[in-house]
């Protein structure tokens, strides 16, 4: 596995791979790898001849009051994990390599970026779309892999790809969880012991709503109520950011449920913001 830090070095290597007829899969990440990232890397490695992982804590997707400075970083550890997952190139640029001081061009998917996480993180998806498009232009992948844990992100990226006719296929990988159900996240490292012991109840509340859905309940408010009631009993320190039931593709709020919807939620537990989602569907 090669580790490269400059755009020109990455471009030169990728060009040589493409010239030799290799297909390329990209998995964009912010590092501090866990089994969710590993799943993305292994999926990418299965789908293309060469696997590129970008490791970049993207400053433009963090608001000034968010955790950009505190975000966990460990390149040496991450490089070992990436190599073991079959990654061929770890592209790990410094912020100055990606954003010039006079940067002023942004990519936005405004409507799909407004609700859910966008409501409390207004510039977040603008930062995400801009870095992802830059990474696409630098690496020119045939395939890019995103995690379903960040459902809104992959939906917004799919729309950007469609709207801008980008020649890349977006593939998603299912959410990887701890044995107790907590979705893996680099931010789980912020949880203290008490918060960590409560955190699995976040997903369990969503499973309670899924169960009601599978029993036939289609009233959006009653389904939300099911999760909220579970959390108020089992997750006393959780502060709700949002609970929404939306169309999985367009992210529009649904008032009437039919056979498929997405329950997406965010809570704050201490200083940590946790997000998760679950498809409400009949299997
Ligand atoms: P991050 O490094 O947190 O920006 O995440 C990089 C990629 O990994 C994104 O596409 C995420 O959706 C994906 N990802 C993060 N956590 C998980 C998880 N628990 N399961 C599957 N994919 C994940």
């Amino acid at each position: 596995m090669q580790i490269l830090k400059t755009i020109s070095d990455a471009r030169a290597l990728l060009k040589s791979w493409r010239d030799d007829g290799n297909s390329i899969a990209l998995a964009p990440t912010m590092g501090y790898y866990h089994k969710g990232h590993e799943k993305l890397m292994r999926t990418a490695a299965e789908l293309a001849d060469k696997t590129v992982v970008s490791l970049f804590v993207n400053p433009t997707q963090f608001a000034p009051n968010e955790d950009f400075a505190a975000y966990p970083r460990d390149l040496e550890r991450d490089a070992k994990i990436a190599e073991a997952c079959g990654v061929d190139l770890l592209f790990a640029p410094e912020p100055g390599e990606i954003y010039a001081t006079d940067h002023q061009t942004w990519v936005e998917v405004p409507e799909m970026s407004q609700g859910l996480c966008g409501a409390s993180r207004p510039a977040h998806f603008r930062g995400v779309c801009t870095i992802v498009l830059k990474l696409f232009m630098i690496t020119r992948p045939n395939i890019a892999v995103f995690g379903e844990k960040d459902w809104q992100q992959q939906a917004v990226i799919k729309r950007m790809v469609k709207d801008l006719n980008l020649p890349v296929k977006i593939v998603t990988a299912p959410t990887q969880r701890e044995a107790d159900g907590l979705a893996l996240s680099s931010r789980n490292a912020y949880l203290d012991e008490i918060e960590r012991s409560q955190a699995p109840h976040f997903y369990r509340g969503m499973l309670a709503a899924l169960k009601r859905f599978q029993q036939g309940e289609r009233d959006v408010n009653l389904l939300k109520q099911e999760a909220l009631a579970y959390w108020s009993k089992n997750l006393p320190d959780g502060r709700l950011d949002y609970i929404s039931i939306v169309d999985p593709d367009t992210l529009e709020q649904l008032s009437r449920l039919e056979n498929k919807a997405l329950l997406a939620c965010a809570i704050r537990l201490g200083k940590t913001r946790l997000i998760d989602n679950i498809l409400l569907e009949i299997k």
Side-chain angles (χ1 to χ4, degrees), residues 27-40 54 56 61 71 145-151 153-154 171 173-178 182-188 275:
T29 77
M30 299 204 301
Y32 211 65
Y33 293 147
H34 51 64
K35 297 231 155 28
H37 296 110
E38 290 182 27
K39 176 79 180 169
L40 247 53
S54 57
F56 181 64
Q61 68 189 67
Y71 200 85
V145 188
F146 292 84
E148 291 172 8
K149 185 195 157 237
D150 299 273
W151 188 279
Q153 171 170 277
Q154 59 82 34
V171 171
T175 302
Q176 305 298 299
R177 300 180 179 280
E178 300 281 8
L182 175 65
L184 290 163
S185 165
S186 308
R187 291 189 167 101
N188 291 352
I275 63 171

Side-chain angles (χ1 to χ4, degrees), residues 35-160:
K35 297 231 155 28
H37 296 110
E38 290 182 27
K39 176 79 180 169
L40 247 53
M41 296 182 206
R42 291 186 195 281
T43 302
E46 270 168 27
L47 295 175
D49 301 318
K50 296 287 183 186
T51 302
V52 182
V53 167
S54 57
L55 195 174
F56 181 64
V57 185
N58 175 35
T60 65
Q61 68 189 67
F62 291 80
N65 62 333
E66 292 182 344
D67 57 343
F68 173 71
Y71 200 85
R73 292 163 169 89
D74 191 340
L75 177 61
E76 213 174 300
R77 170 183 168 276
D78 284 352
K80 285 190 192 126
I81 295 172
E83 184 152 36
C85 290
V87 172
D88 299 293
L89 166 61
L90 187 64
F91 176 53
E94 298 295 331
E97 178 72 7
I98 296 293
Y99 293 108
T101 47
D102 60 351
H103 179 95
Q104 57 170 306
T105 304
W106 300 101
V107 186
E108 280 189 85
V109 183
E111 277 173 40
M112 290 177 73
S113 302
Q114 249 166 41
L116 309 178
C117 289
S120 60
R121 308 186 75 189
H124 174 69
F125 290 105
R126 182 182 90 151
V128 169
C129 288
T130 303
I131 187 61
V132 169
L133 183 56
K134 275 175 163 276
L135 291 168
F136 285 177
M137 300 310 288
I138 293 165
T139 62
R140 297 179 47 201
N142 304 86
I143 292 170
V145 188
F146 292 84
E148 291 172 8
K149 185 195 157 237
D150 299 273
W151 188 279
Q152 185 174 15
Q153 171 170 277
Q154 59 82 34
V156 166
I157 296 293
K158 281 179 182 160
R159 180 60 65 90
M160 174 181 83

Side-chain angles (χ1 to χ4, degrees), residues 240-278:
L240 185 71
D241 180 355
Y242 67 81
I243 177 167
S244 298
I245 295 182
V246 298
D247 180 289
D249 301 317
T250 65
L251 307 180
E252 280 160 0
Q253 297 277 346
L254 295 174
S255 49
R256 261 177 53 89
L257 292 196
E258 288 175 11
N259 286 330
K260 200 167 170 187
L262 182 82
L263 171 64
C265 307
I267 56 159
R268 292 180 197 277
L269 200 49
K271 60 177 172 12
T272 312
R273 184 171 173 280
L274 299 177
I275 63 171
D276 206 341
N277 65 77
I278 193 168

